[in-house]
Amino acid sequence: MKLNPAQMEAVLTVKGPLLVFAGAGSGKTRVITNRIAHMIEKEKIPSQRIVALSFTNKSAKEMAERLRKMVPREKLKGIVLSTFHSLGLKILKEHITRLGYKETFLLFNGGDQESFVSELLKGKKIDPKKVPPKEILRRISFAKNTQKFTPGNELSINEFDSITEELFPLYEEGLKERNAVDFDDLILLPKRLLAEFEDIATLYRKKYEYYLVDEFQDTNQLQYEFLSLFRGETDNLCVVGDDDQSIYAFRGSNVELILNFEREFPHAKVVRLLENYRSTANIIEAANSLIKNNTGRKEKTLFSRIPSIEKVEYYETSDEKEEAIFVVGRIQSFLVKNEFKGKEIAILFRTNFQSRPFEEELRNRSIPYKVVGGYNFFDRKEIRDCISYLRYVANPKDDYSLLRIINTPKRGIGPSTLQILQEESFQKKSSLFDIFLKMIEDVDYLPEIKAKVRQEIYHFVELIESFKKKFALAPKLAPVLREMITQIGFEKMISQEEDDEKVVKARIYNLSELVNMLSFFEDEEGREEKPTIFDFLQRLVLLMEDEPKEDEEDRRVQLLTMHQSKGLEFDLVFLVGLEEGILPNSRVIEIGEAVDEERRLLYVGMTRPRRKLYLTSASTRRKFGEQIESAPSRFIEELSRDAVLFFPMETKDREAETKNFLEELEKLKVS
């Protein structure tokens, strides 16, 4: 497929600021990769002068894979194709000592952060069950990314905000004491380096000259300020995005950045990519009729040349059970007719709790399905245990990892012993590992700890010290990890925990996959120097924080939230639960916020299908066992009658619908 005139204009504009409004399905990634290829091949710009940033590892990887097919590999050497966070990590690895950290810093994952906040809450005599650490961390993350919250200068809105204000400085100090950073620090700390150290800023500004940011509508204030400091005075900045698809305000993204780009760069060229190559004309017309109701958006109207006589269909059902029966019945009909494959079908909902009736009905009809994001390799116990061992070998001051592994496998170091050790650690302001070493040097130190327990602690320290040396000296890391898994005794431990031999094998295979991952990591192309265990741990945290991967060979019907669907496409899509209080969300309605972002979320869902789109709602829905009346979403009334067929399903309609469907199914079975 050739580039259309608008796409070509974006590709050929290299110098100066460029704003590309890329509508849904308009070939955005194709434009970005063609533009970079044009810069290298035609404009003869050295690749090591180019920085291209995206928001997920998946999109950065896709960009790199496409470019390798367009540009000889040797010409891509030195180009930066990464996420904001990966770029920040690179800067920290080179300069973090300037901020008073040691070179081998740790990157805290979500579990580490929760453990730490839980400890801080207990220190303030606050029950972590009543004030969930995740709620505090969500507020801390929002504050770091938006810089709207600074302890002591904002009025608290509720109890959680007040507690966050109190814990925030302790959280920051605690991270620094542990020589650790969290995911948000991967932007915050590099920004500090660039702002406070002119030599560091100059180093990068001399090295790079051309900048490109994908999904710019998802950028937050902190990321934009980091980028501005990183690029300096050059205005060779291309940003690509769509304000109509900005759906991450809850993470701190600021749609005003893309809307105000022309104000910051008055001489910027603006290109609009408006032809949709994904969906039929009726689907695009329906989506346009919805999104045009948003205020403060850039005026643009998508169009599609893909014809279709089928309109979008909306059905109002009596309750969530009937909604599920209708949706899954339609899916079954399409599958039996072989019109769509399972992996080409998606059920999209606003929040995860809505998936249950659809899962139940899919099971009833023996239709395989997958809840996207419902399962993660890194959440498996044996993987978390093994990673904690790696983290502790890398940094024996990491008490959080220690507390996870000290009795994995069981070593007879009980709660009372751990309490003695933790109290001693707190009083001496030392890590638990330092206490262990003192116990080994002085047999009379902490006499209340039994000799058998002291012996187990000695063996544990010996194990950690041994593998610390092995990881440092070995030419390859993967064989050392394999040896460590064996020596720790994971296989025996798993065998004792599980009765089913298949489950035992599956869990051991998981550990094998972790070794494989390390092996692949070591053998990555383009690596200039031998990676360390710190590098691998940092990569793991980036992967653990990133979006779940999609299995392209999966033939199951996909169930996912509208947020998770962004960037994906399917042949057949069902958007379900379109009711007031669900979409728009009840929180938005209660506090009287503008519903623009909720409308954008529905717009994202409506632009996912290629061929067919269904919208559904329920007139009643159960809440805590009680049947409550629901009203159709206000967004339904905004949809074009020319592109959407409306079916408020009265009882007689439902009976006829069911009868016709069953008759149709029986005919198909006979044939």
Side-chain angles (χ1 to χ4, degrees):
M1 183 180 72
K2 292 182 179 180
L3 295 172
N4 66 37
Q7 291 174 327
M8 185 61 76
E9 186 179 9
V11 166
L12 298 180
T13 304
V14 172
K15 296 282 186 179
L18 171 65
L19 170 58
V20 181
F21 282 111
S26 63
K28 171 176 67 71
T29 305
R30 191 167 185 272
V31 168
I32 291 170
T33 50
N34 272 274
R35 185 175 185 272
I36 296 172
H38 171 76
M39 291 168 70
I40 296 170
E41 294 283 57
K42 301 295 184 184
E43 299 287 339
K44 305 301 179 186
I45 295 170
S47 59
Q48 59 267 28
R49 304 284 285 166
I50 300 170
V51 175
L53 299 174
S54 65
F55 282 82
T56 66
N57 289 323
K58 181 180 177 182
S59 59
K61 185 179 177 183
E62 182 185 359
M63 202 186 300
E65 287 173 351
R66 290 201 191 187
L67 270 173
R68 288 193 194 105
K69 295 175 182 176
M70 303 166 73
V71 179
R73 192 178 293 266
E74 63 273 10
K75 289 187 179 182
L76 290 173
K77 190 173 182 181
I79 192 171
V80 175
L81 297 171
S82 80
T83 63
F84 273 92
H85 290 91
S86 293
L87 177 61
L89 177 59
K90 182 177 184 292
I91 294 171
L92 285 185
K93 285 166 74 173
E94 293 173 0
H95 304 290
I96 196 169
T97 54
R98 300 284 288 274
L99 295 174
Y101 291 80
K102 294 177 183 175
E103 192 172 355
T104 52
F105 65 94
L106 270 181
L107 182 51
F108 265 30
N109 62 29
D112 303 322
Q113 291 174 278
E114 285 183 47
S115 298
F116 183 28
V117 170
S118 181
E119 181 184 308
L120 292 175
L121 288 167
K122 289 174 184 175
K124 294 289 182 181
K125 301 193 179 339
I126 299 170
D127 187 352
K129 291 180 181 177
K130 294 180 180 177
V131 181
K134 281 185 177 179
E135 281 296 317
I136 302 301
L137 285 166
R138 187 172 64 81
R139 285 163 169 76
I140 287 174
S141 179
F142 187 84
K144 285 189 171 188
N145 280 287
T146 62
Q147 300 169 69
K148 289 182 179 177
F149 165 78
T150 304
N153 75 352
E154 252 189 31
L155 292 173
S156 297
I157 297 169
N158 61 33
E159 182 189 7
F160 286 175
D161 296 320
S162 177
I163 293 169
T164 304
E165 184 175 333
E166 188 177 0
L167 294 186
F168 189 87
L170 300 176
Y171 174 83
E172 293 288 85
E173 289 164 16
L175 283 182
K176 185 76 178 286
E177 286 171 6
R178 289 159 177 79
N179 202 50
V181 300
D182 65 18
F183 205 60
D184 298 315
D185 287 332
L186 295 184
I187 308 296
L188 197 63
L189 295 182
K191 181 200 161 190
R192 273 189 58 198
L193 283 167
L194 294 166
E196 295 174 16
F197 300 97
E198 189 60 35
D199 59 319
I200 295 175
T202 301
L203 174 72
Y204 291 111
R205 291 167 189 170
K206 284 183 177 178
K207 189 173 184 180
Y208 304 111
E209 187 179 2
Y210 296 88
Y211 301 85
L212 185 148
V213 183
D214 187 17
E215 300 287 6
F216 189 65
Q217 77 280 348
D218 294 334
T219 310
N220 63 42
Q221 189 64 36
L222 176 62
Q223 289 164 336
Y224 187 63
E225 289 175 9
F226 161 59
L227 175 66
S228 298
L229 287 166
F230 188 73
R231 66 178 177 80
E233 295 300 317
T234 180
D235 65 355
N236 294 324
L237 173 63
C238 170
V239 299
V240 183
D242 181 10
D243 55 305
D244 289 336
Q245 296 186 74
S246 178
I247 58 173
Y248 294 118
F250 67 94
R251 292 183 189 170
S253 67
N254 183 3
V255 70
E256 295 300 319
L257 290 172
I258 192 169
L259 293 174
N260 293 333
F261 188 83
E262 293 166 84
R263 190 179 303 168
E264 182 168 354
F265 298 94
H267 58 301
K269 176 172 276 193
V270 180
V271 177
R272 286 173 167 80
L273 307 181
L274 301 179
E275 182 167 1
N276 178 288
Y277 294 97
R278 175 190 300 146
S279 309
T280 66
N282 278 330
I283 291 173
I284 294 304
E285 184 182 345
N288 282 334
S289 67
L290 172 77
I291 201 63
K292 72 179 184 182
N293 293 282
N294 263 13
T295 57
R297 65 185 284 265
K298 290 290 183 180
E299 187 61 39
K300 52 193 172 300
T301 303
L302 256 60
F303 68 93
S304 169
R305 301 180 199 271
I306 304 171
S308 174
I309 57 171
E310 290 186 277
K311 293 186 177 183
V312 176
E313 296 181 26
Y314 164 67
Y315 289 84
E316 183 185 356
T317 61
S318 63
D319 57 28
E320 66 265 50
K321 184 175 182 180
E322 188 173 303
E323 183 182 34
I325 290 170
F326 168 73
V327 169
V328 178
R330 276 283 193 269
I331 289 172
Q332 187 175 44
S333 177
F334 285 124
L335 291 174
V336 170
K337 293 177 185 176
N338 204 27
E339 287 189 40
F340 300 100
K341 295 178 181 176
K343 67 176 182 179
E344 299 167 345
I345 302 171
I347 302 173
L348 306 184
F349 31 79
R350 175 64 175 82
T351 51
N352 281 308
F353 80 85
Q354 293 171 263
S355 74
R356 185 202 56 77
F358 299 98
E359 290 188 62
E360 189 176 328
E361 189 60 28
L362 286 162
R363 284 197 191 101
N364 288 342
R365 299 182 188 234
S366 300
I367 298 173
Y369 69 91
K370 175 184 179 182
V371 181
V372 175
Y375 187 74
N376 191 317
F377 175 78
F378 297 105
D379 286 336
R380 297 166 184 172
K381 180 182 180 298
E382 59 276 10
I383 297 301
R384 285 200 172 275
D385 290 340
C386 192
I387 290 173
S388 292
Y389 265 103
L390 279 174
R391 289 165 55 89
Y392 198 67
V393 168
N395 179 13
K397 293 187 183 297
D398 181 7
D399 285 349
Y400 301 109
S401 293
L402 170 67
L403 292 172
R404 183 180 182 95
I405 63 175
I406 192 65
N407 271 315
T408 306
K410 290 188 177 0
R411 295 186 173 91
I413 304 173
S416 57
T417 301
L418 282 174
Q419 186 174 348
I420 294 168
L421 292 168
Q422 285 181 284
E423 286 175 358
E424 184 70 4
S425 168
F426 182 77
Q427 288 176 6
K428 293 287 192 291
K429 295 185 177 179
S430 301
S431 69
L432 286 168
F433 196 78
D434 290 335
I435 302 299
F436 290 171
L437 292 175
K438 198 167 182 182
M439 287 174 63
I440 292 168
E441 292 168 3
D442 182 1
V443 292
D444 296 322
Y445 182 59
L446 297 178
E448 60 267 49
I449 295 179
K450 296 176 182 177
K452 186 178 179 183
V453 174
R454 299 175 83 92
Q455 187 71 14
E456 287 293 340
I457 289 173
Y458 173 81
H459 289 317
F460 177 79
V461 170
E462 195 177 44
L463 175 81
I464 298 301
E465 290 288 331
S466 165
F467 280 100
K468 189 173 183 179
K469 290 176 184 174
K470 287 179 180 178
F471 277 118
L473 299 174
K476 287 285 186 180
L477 301 176
V480 180
L481 176 56
R482 183 170 60 243
E483 182 188 347
M484 189 179 83
I485 289 169
T486 302
Q487 198 162 324
I488 288 168
F490 270 108
E491 185 168 353
K492 182 180 178 182
M493 180 186 75
I494 291 169
S495 298
Q496 291 170 343
E497 290 176 351
E498 304 287 353
D499 295 324
D500 189 334
E501 190 176 342
K502 289 181 180 178
V503 177
V504 172
K505 284 184 178 178
R507 292 183 63 188
I508 292 168
Y509 282 143
N510 290 339
L511 291 168
S512 172
E513 279 303 305
L514 190 63
V515 177
N516 293 341
M517 190 179 295
L518 176 53
S519 180
F520 282 119
F521 176 74
E522 289 186 279
D523 294 336
E524 278 181 357
E525 288 185 11
R527 193 178 288 287
E528 295 177 3
E529 54 189 30
K530 178 181 175 289
T532 66
I533 203 65
F534 293 97
D535 296 325
F536 182 58
L537 287 167
Q538 287 163 351
R539 168 68 67 85
L540 286 178
V541 173
L542 290 176
L543 290 172
M544 291 162 79
E545 295 291 340
D546 207 356
E547 62 190 9
K549 294 179 181 178
E550 285 297 298
D551 181 356
E552 293 185 358
E553 296 303 313
D554 201 327
R555 294 186 174 274
R556 293 173 285 177
V557 172
Q558 308 287 292
L559 278 68
L560 62 162
T561 66
M562 293 179 201
H563 279 103
Q564 289 171 324
S565 75
K566 190 169 180 296
L568 304 178
E569 56 184 45
F570 306 91
D571 282 341
L572 170 63
V573 169
F574 293 84
L575 292 177
V576 301
L578 302 185
E579 299 142 38
E580 289 289 297
I582 296 179
L583 190 70
N585 185 273
S586 57
R587 179 189 56 79
V588 173
I589 298 170
E590 285 166 13
I591 64 178
E593 280 187 2
V595 297
D596 284 15
E597 177 142 341
E598 295 289 289
R599 191 180 281 109
R600 290 195 292 264
L601 184 57
L602 180 55
Y603 174 79
V604 166
M606 290 180 69
T607 53
R608 297 310 96 199
R610 287 185 282 256
R611 291 168 52 192
K612 184 69 181 168
L613 172 62
Y614 286 90
L615 312 172
T616 66
S617 66
S619 56
T620 62
R621 192 171 289 274
R622 286 185 185 274
K623 292 183 180 178
F624 298 103
E626 187 180 350
Q627 203 82 3
I628 306 293
E629 286 193 9
S630 299
S633 169
R634 66 190 71 183
F635 301 142
I636 298 298
E637 287 300 312
E638 298 174 356
L639 299 177
S640 165
R641 265 53 183 171
D642 294 330
V644 182
L645 291 174
F646 293 81
F647 296 95
M649 295 182 70
E650 303 295 339
T651 304
K652 58 183 180 181
D653 294 331
R654 295 191 189 104
E655 290 173 355
E657 172 82 23
T658 304
K659 184 180 178 183
N660 291 338
F661 169 70
L662 291 173
E663 288 176 355
E664 181 184 0
L665 197 58
E666 285 303 317
K667 289 176 185 175
L668 287 166
K669 285 179 180 177
V670 171
S671 63

